[in-house]
Amino acid sequence: EFEDKAMTYRELDNRANQLAHYLKKQGVKRDTFVGLILERSFEMFISILATLKAGGAYVPMDPEYPRDRIEFLIKDIQTPVVLTLGSIKSRHALDQLTGEGGTGSSANRQKLTVLSVDTQWREQVSAHPTKRLVCENKPEDMAYMIYTSGSTGQPKGCPNTHGGIANYLQWTSTTYTLNSRDIVLCKSPYTFDVSVGEMLWPLICGSKTVIAIPGGHRDTAYLARTFKAKGITATRFVPSMLQVFLEEPGVEACGSVSRIIVSGEALPVEVVKKFSELLPQAKLINLYGPTEAAVDVTYWECKADDSLTTIPIGYPISNNRLYVLDENKVPVPVGVYGELYIGGVQVARGYWNRPELTAEKFIKDPFSKDAGARMYRTGDRARFQENGVIEYQGRVDFQVKIRGNRVELGEIESALLNYDKLSQVVVVAKKLHGESGAQSLVAYLVSKDKSAPATSEELREFLKTKLPEYMVPSGFIELESIPTNSSGKADRKILMSREDDITLQQKVYEAPIDDVEKAIVEAWEQVLKVSPVGRNDNFFELGGDSLGLIRVMQRLRTAKIGLELKD
């Protein structure tokens, strides 16, 4: 169900089969990538299923990505075809994409085809048969590829296999059974790997899926209304977004909810307690898994009466093996922290076109009896408890999570160093003065010309053309020089401990002039813990982020101010 329209299983299957036949004619087969540039819609589901039916692997791209990033991804995957919507195609001039598809020498490559699955369906797809295609895939074939941030300055793709996702779905549907009475809300961005389970889990159980409108996953009022109006029984959240959702007035009236899955970030104890108070009838399930292992590899069911001070990531999912090893890759004793490694059927094939990085991160599994078995080095710190439960404790490197998205700080630093006014850049993640408690990105800069430093406004506009929104820092701090440690490297610990006032980015003060502006100013001051805020100020330059904006919207609704998040 999407907005006021509904689609049956038969209609979905028929349309996916027609599109799969079309993709076959475009050259899609086993281990062929199909680029998707879509918003949440019926067409998103049809396109994903059609790609899998044709034997290919889908590569989701956010229509909000900068043009440079989309072009890089298209060239990297060498796809023969991109599926999109008519509105997105015209908005981004996708017909002008220059990426070449196919494999082999350039002389043999196919021309890239860009199909609008909605507006071009009748002329391009509708004549194809609804007959199902014979499945040619093997368990080791690629099913999808998600791109994550890369420390070298470019995103890196990680293809996951049919065998990995099939194992995950089998475990999920067996452990947390859905049936035809369940109604699941599909709200995770499809560029986030948790969406794979969120979309396919209800479909293999015969449940009903309600598709959230584009942008709906950021609007807590819309989500609460949808839960109540549609009788949603299950969905998925990033912990930081669940925290904001639980602050929405009337959440306790979402009585149909029976289970909520959270993943993507560490789950705070206080969120579990608030969830138990407001939705006592529902289970809260904490899952963990990097993009390099199909969706999730551990699980923990939270209990309302737990006296835990830290929420663990739990036990391994069936057919996965987790190890906590020291720097010599030797298992550490129970209770001792080490680095977490993942082995088993859900480990991905490696990084696309990155053989050196693949060899570094995907290594031989010495603890497995299976010849050729590999394990993935996560970079996460963890330890085993006496009862076999795994406890997570941060990272061993410079990778961070921003609103559930993996961010390599080096990719942001590399992008900023391409700006001709800067000579040095270090980006860190730290908690700012707002109330969310989540980490924000702060960039420390040294300008080439100290008399004419780069402004935060121009840097932000520059980065918007290079990086997704969540990777643009909230604060830009100009320094005389970057502090270094005894080895001459940037001292990130000093930068992390600085208490910089992001309000230094405030503009010349001008007071609000009407009731709407006064209400906005009051909401900004409450959320950002900054005062005074004036008409010329920029929410993001004051240290705000998208979660902070959701909190602003909650306050404006309470004040009866009729604005939407996009306003």
Side-chain angles (χ1 to χ4, degrees), residues 94 185 192 216 228 244 248 263 396 440 447 481 486 491:
L94 295 182
L185 179 63
F192 197 16
K228 287 179 270 194
V244 180
E248 181 66 32
S263 63
V396 299
S440 297
S447 294
S481 63
S486 57
D491 197 326

Side-chain angles (χ1 to χ4, degrees), residues 1 18 37 80 162 166 240 316 331 359 363 365 412 450 469 483 504:
E1 184 175 297
Q18 287 180 304
I37 309 176
H162 280 267
S240 53
I363 60 180
D365 184 348
I412 307 171
K450 300 294 195 297
E469 174 269 332
L504 292 175

Side-chain angles (χ1 to χ4, degrees), residues 153-430:
Q154 295 285 11
K156 57 183 185 292
C158 185
N160 275 281
T161 66
H162 280 267
I165 188 63
N167 184 80
Y168 174 72
L169 289 171
Q170 175 68 22
W171 174 86
T172 306
S173 60
T174 302
T175 309
Y176 299 108
T177 309
L178 296 175
N179 56 46
S180 59
R181 295 186 298 278
D182 278 294
I183 304 173
V184 180
L185 179 63
C186 174
K187 55 176 276 299
S188 299
Y190 79 146
T191 51
F192 197 16
D193 64 341
V194 302
S195 66
V196 180
E198 188 179 78
M199 290 185 288
L200 299 181
W201 176 36
L203 287 182
I204 67 170
C205 295
S207 305
K208 175 180 174 180
T209 294
V210 173
I211 307 171
I213 60 172
H217 62 288
R218 300 189 190 101
D219 187 340
T220 54
Y222 164 80
L223 292 176
R225 286 198 308 272
T226 304
F227 269 75
K228 287 179 270 194
K230 303 295 184 182
I232 301 299
T233 62
T235 194
R236 192 156 187 157
F237 278 95
V238 173
S240 53
M241 185 61 193
L242 177 61
Q243 182 174 2
V244 180
F245 175 70
L246 294 175
E247 296 168 11
E248 181 66 32
V251 163
E252 64 277 7
C254 299
S256 60
V257 180
S258 62
R259 73 205 79 185
I260 296 288
I261 292 174
V262 290
S263 63
E265 295 170 340
L267 177 60
V269 172
E270 57 269 23
V271 175
V272 176
K273 291 179 178 177
K274 190 164 187 179
F275 180 91
S276 299
E277 292 170 6
L278 295 174
L279 299 169
Q281 81 285 357
K283 291 181 179 179
L284 182 62
I285 303 148
N286 188 35
L287 302 183
Y288 161 87
T291 304
E292 289 82 356
V295 189
D296 299 300
V297 292
T298 72
Y299 69 102
W300 176 258
E301 194 168 307
C302 303
K303 300 288 192 295
D305 56 352
D306 273 344
S307 57
L308 299 172
T309 56
T310 302
I311 303 301
I313 58 175
Y315 301 98
I317 284 171
S318 303
N319 301 313
N320 290 281
R321 299 181 300 275
L322 275 81
Y323 317 113
V324 179
L325 311 179
D326 64 16
E327 60 273 12
N328 297 313
K329 300 183 180 60
V330 174
V332 300
V334 169
V336 175
Y337 282 107
E339 185 172 355
L340 190 63
Y341 288 72
I342 301 169
V345 69
Q346 286 178 219
V347 174
R349 291 198 351 185
Y351 295 114
W352 181 247
N353 286 338
R354 303 284 287 276
E356 292 182 2
L357 186 61
T358 297
E360 176 189 340
K361 294 290 189 180
F362 293 84
I363 60 180
K364 178 178 172 56
D365 184 348
F367 311 104
S368 173
K369 296 178 182 177
D370 299 331
R374 297 166 309 133
M375 59 183 184
Y376 169 66
R377 182 177 186 174
T378 68
D380 289 331
R381 271 174 56 82
R383 67 179 178 182
F384 275 106
Q385 298 175 354
E386 291 284 353
N387 57 0
V389 168
I390 302 166
E391 187 180 319
Y392 167 86
Q393 193 199 53
R395 295 286 301 174
V396 299
D397 57 16
F398 299 137
Q399 185 190 107
V400 298
K401 283 286 185 80
I402 302 296
R403 304 194 299 279
N405 296 285
R406 271 171 53 175
V407 174
E408 295 278 3
L409 300 177
E411 184 174 359
I412 307 171
E413 292 167 352
S414 179
L416 280 168
L417 285 170
N418 285 323
Y419 196 66
D420 57 9
K421 287 187 178 182
L422 302 179
S423 62
Q424 286 181 281
V425 175
V426 176
V427 178
V428 301
K430 59 200 296 187

Side-chain angles (χ1 to χ4, degrees), residues 13 19 37 45 47 49 54 58 75 104 113 119 130 169 242 298 341 351 381 406 423 443 458 496 503 553:
D13 195 40
L19 184 55
I37 309 176
F45 276 78
S47 298
L49 291 174
Y58 75 92
K75 289 178 180 178
T113 297
T119 57
T130 58
L169 289 171
L242 177 61
T298 72
Y341 288 72
Y351 295 114
R381 271 174 56 82
R406 271 171 53 175
S423 62
E458 63 185 280
M496 290 283 290
T503 62
M553 284 304 305

